[in-house]
Amino acid sequence: MSDQRTEKYAERLSLMIQSETVSAKGEQDKTKFYRFHELLRQLFPSLFSVADFEDFDGSILLRWKGTNPQLQPIMLMNHHDVVEASGAWSYPPFSGEIADGKLFGRGALDTKGGLWAMLQAADELAAEGFTPTRDVYFISSCNEETSGAGSDAISSALVERGIRFFMVLDEGGMIINEPIGGAKGNYAMIGVGEKGSADLKFIARSAGGHASTPPKDTPLVRLGKFMAAVEKNNLFRAEISPTVCAMFRAISDSMSGALKPILGHPKLFSPILCRVIPSVSVAAGAMLKTTVAFTMASGSEGTNVLPQEAWVIGNMRYSHHQGAEDSIAEIAALAEKFDIETVVLDRGIQSGLSDHKSAAFALVERAVGAVYPQVRTSPYVMTGASDCRYMSRVSDNCLRFTPFIIDDAQLDSVHGIDENVSIDTLAPAVDFYRYIITEVQNEG
């Protein structure tokens, strides 16, 4: 790739980073998002000249019409809202600073980088005179980081219009080195589904009183014992799904040692893997079962007052095999043993699991191979949530992948300090989306 191309791409993405689009719960003023939309029009004029534009209260839908309405369309997605950027950054988080071969700023990876790459690819093709055979939709929400309302509304509208998609491609896994310890080489991790996300409130009550004469098992003590029990006990069923089986087999190809044959035959060694994998990789272990993380808490307002009511919030990521109802019932039964009430604040949405043997998955694999010939591919189950969960309503093939090569520090920078993307991975990302848009036209 030319340095000139890389420099131009980095400057364009930098402008998108500089347009601050932090989303907040309950936000009504969408001015900054509409300002960002205008920037997109300026950066991608060829695409906007050939595509129909719809606004969904700050979230956007672009439709590039194809010549054959009988073919199912495709959808490319990446949200344009970002999380707040507190802490001491090396460069201001909305400066889009380019330094040491990297572009720094909130959204560089999550997910203005992916949004830029897919729109840049389409804009170049439109400028070259390319006309798609099937419709190509581009979706970008302004509230993925908060409510997900934008993609929820867009998917509902598409359902009403009776539109089914050949494939949906949203943010997700990236190209990482050694996804599990011992698996040498770079892997493109392609998400075929995501765990559901539910928010639960656990409430412990008492008569209260003065801290000078504390009884046994006050609300905070019971909550503490409960949380310790959740962490200690194997509360949820571990299971190796066909997707995780395929991931283990793919990763075992580059391994050596005792774990190689075990990962290579995951069904045979399922009981061993369910015990061992969580200690080998926290991320891989989370794919095997429902998890709960306790994130918020409250007690009394005085240091010398026993609370009449104390609570903790648990963020549950439920597995496909156990689901929301069963997972919530399991933890509620445990909470009851400690005289704790369980309140479901948000049950979340269970997304489907797409087939890693589908034509859509194979297309993404070919695109990776064409752009990154030395990179292996593997399916996996996302443990985080994305807008793609709403698109299970309109497609059986909802995939989650962002075509950037990243290292461990860059992965940790997502939602953290010094979020950044290497500028030498920008041009390949554009080439990846160009491949998807052009080659999908040849799919049955």
Side-chain angles (χ1 to χ4, degrees):
M1 78 194 70
S2 69
D3 291 339
Q4 186 176 15
R5 186 183 179 203
T6 298
E7 182 179 334
K8 180 185 77 171
Y9 285 170
E11 290 172 354
R12 284 171 169 254
L13 177 54
S14 177
L15 290 173
M16 291 171 61
I17 299 296
Q18 292 171 45
S19 182
E20 183 263 292
T21 53
V22 174
S23 60
K25 287 188 176 181
E27 189 171 41
Q28 299 298 320
D29 185 359
K30 300 296 196 300
T31 302
K32 59 186 170 186
F33 300 113
Y34 289 120
R35 189 181 300 122
F36 184 77
H37 298 176
E38 288 306 311
L39 175 62
L40 295 183
R41 291 180 186 276
Q42 296 169 26
L43 292 176
F44 311 108
S46 297
L47 174 60
F48 275 82
S49 70
V50 297
D52 298 327
F53 176 90
E54 285 187 75
D55 167 48
F56 285 79
D57 193 26
S59 297
I60 63 176
L61 180 153
L62 282 169
R63 179 193 177 195
W64 190 1
K65 290 183 180 178
T67 57
N68 187 348
Q70 302 303 314
L71 294 177
Q72 286 188 328
I74 68 163
M75 180 191 299
L76 302 179
M77 304 176 63
N78 274 286
H79 61 89
H80 57 274
D81 68 317
V82 299
V83 298
E84 62 180 14
S86 57
W89 288 55
S90 300
Y91 306 96
F94 298 104
S95 66
E97 185 74 24
I98 301 169
D100 301 322
K102 298 175 181 178
L103 192 160
F104 290 81
R106 178 60 82 221
L109 291 173
D110 187 18
T111 61
K112 285 182 177 176
L115 175 63
W116 163 80
M118 75 185 199
L119 296 181
Q120 180 68 39
D123 191 69
E124 291 178 4
L125 289 169
E128 294 165 10
F130 172 81
T131 301
T133 306
R134 64 176 80 226
D135 290 357
V136 182
Y137 283 71
F138 304 91
I139 309 295
S140 185
S141 77
C142 67
N143 43 31
E144 190 272 351
E145 298 289 4
T146 53
S147 65
S151 287
D152 188 6
I154 291 172
S155 67
S156 296
L158 295 171
V159 169
E160 290 179 3
R161 297 172 192 179
I163 302 172
R164 297 289 300 176
F165 289 80
F166 169 74
M167 69 175 290
V168 174
L169 182 59
D170 193 10
E171 64 165 318
M174 302 187 199
I175 300 173
I176 59 175
N177 184 262
E178 200 168 347
I180 290 181
K184 304 300 182 182
N186 286 333
Y187 279 83
M189 305 302 294
I190 304 170
V192 297
E194 60 191 60
K195 296 171 73 176
S197 178
D199 290 323
L200 310 176
K201 186 175 186 178
F202 302 96
I203 306 170
R205 297 182 175 88
S206 76
H210 200 284
S212 62
T213 55
K216 296 289 186 181
D217 288 329
T218 56
L220 286 172
V221 171
R222 300 203 315 272
L223 287 169
K225 289 179 178 179
F226 162 67
M227 289 187 285
V230 171
E231 188 167 287
K232 180 180 179 180
N233 298 331
N234 292 318
L235 191 60
F236 305 106
R237 297 196 310 273
E239 184 175 303
I240 298 180
S241 68
T243 299
V244 176
C245 276
M247 181 187 78
F248 286 160
R249 290 192 190 100
I251 290 173
S252 71
D253 287 344
S254 62
M255 297 190 74
S256 58
L259 201 54
K260 179 180 176 67
I262 296 176
L263 285 177
H265 300 85
K267 286 187 177 180
L268 180 63
F269 294 104
S270 177
I272 296 175
L273 287 171
C274 286
R275 291 196 306 271
V276 172
I277 286 299
S279 61
V280 175
S281 168
V282 174
M287 297 181 205
L288 306 185
K289 63 180 181 178
T290 295
T291 61
V292 176
F294 295 100
T295 56
M296 300 174 68
S298 177
S300 71
E301 296 183 1
T303 59
N304 63 346
V305 178
L306 296 174
Q308 293 184 357
E309 179 178 296
W311 53 261
V312 295
I313 300 293
N315 179 251
M316 171 181 282
R317 302 301 172 108
Y318 49 86
S319 65
H320 286 82
H321 62 266
Q322 194 155 11
E325 295 300 327
D326 193 6
S327 296
I328 293 172
E330 286 279 2
I331 198 167
L334 179 63
E336 189 176 3
K337 294 180 180 179
F338 295 91
D339 192 21
I340 293 171
E341 178 188 358
T342 301
V343 177
V344 180
L345 302 177
D346 183 356
R347 195 171 299 273
I349 293 177
Q350 177 104 32
S351 75
L353 275 177
S354 300
D355 187 357
H356 64 275
K357 297 179 181 178
S358 68
F361 190 95
L363 173 64
V364 175
E365 278 192 306
R366 293 199 303 275
V368 171
V371 178
Y372 296 107
Q374 303 305 314
V375 172
R376 297 179 174 94
T377 59
S378 172
Y380 85 113
V381 178
M382 273 180 58
T383 54
S386 74
D387 274 340
C388 201
R389 66 190 185 275
Y390 297 105
M391 298 308 165
S392 294
R393 300 166 179 167
V394 294
S395 180
D396 295 327
N397 299 305
C398 293
L399 305 177
R400 299 154 174 85
F401 175 67
T402 304
F404 291 144
I405 294 180
I406 63 170
D407 58 28
D408 290 342
Q410 288 170 320
L411 182 61
D412 290 341
S413 76
V414 175
H415 285 211
I417 294 173
D418 284 347
E419 182 178 352
N420 70 87
V421 63
S422 300
I423 62 173
D424 62 5
T425 200
L426 298 182
V430 173
D431 293 340
F432 169 87
Y433 281 112
R434 285 178 64 105
Y435 187 100
I436 293 292
I437 294 170
T438 56
E439 294 301 313
V440 75
Q441 311 302 325
N442 301 319
E443 295 293 329

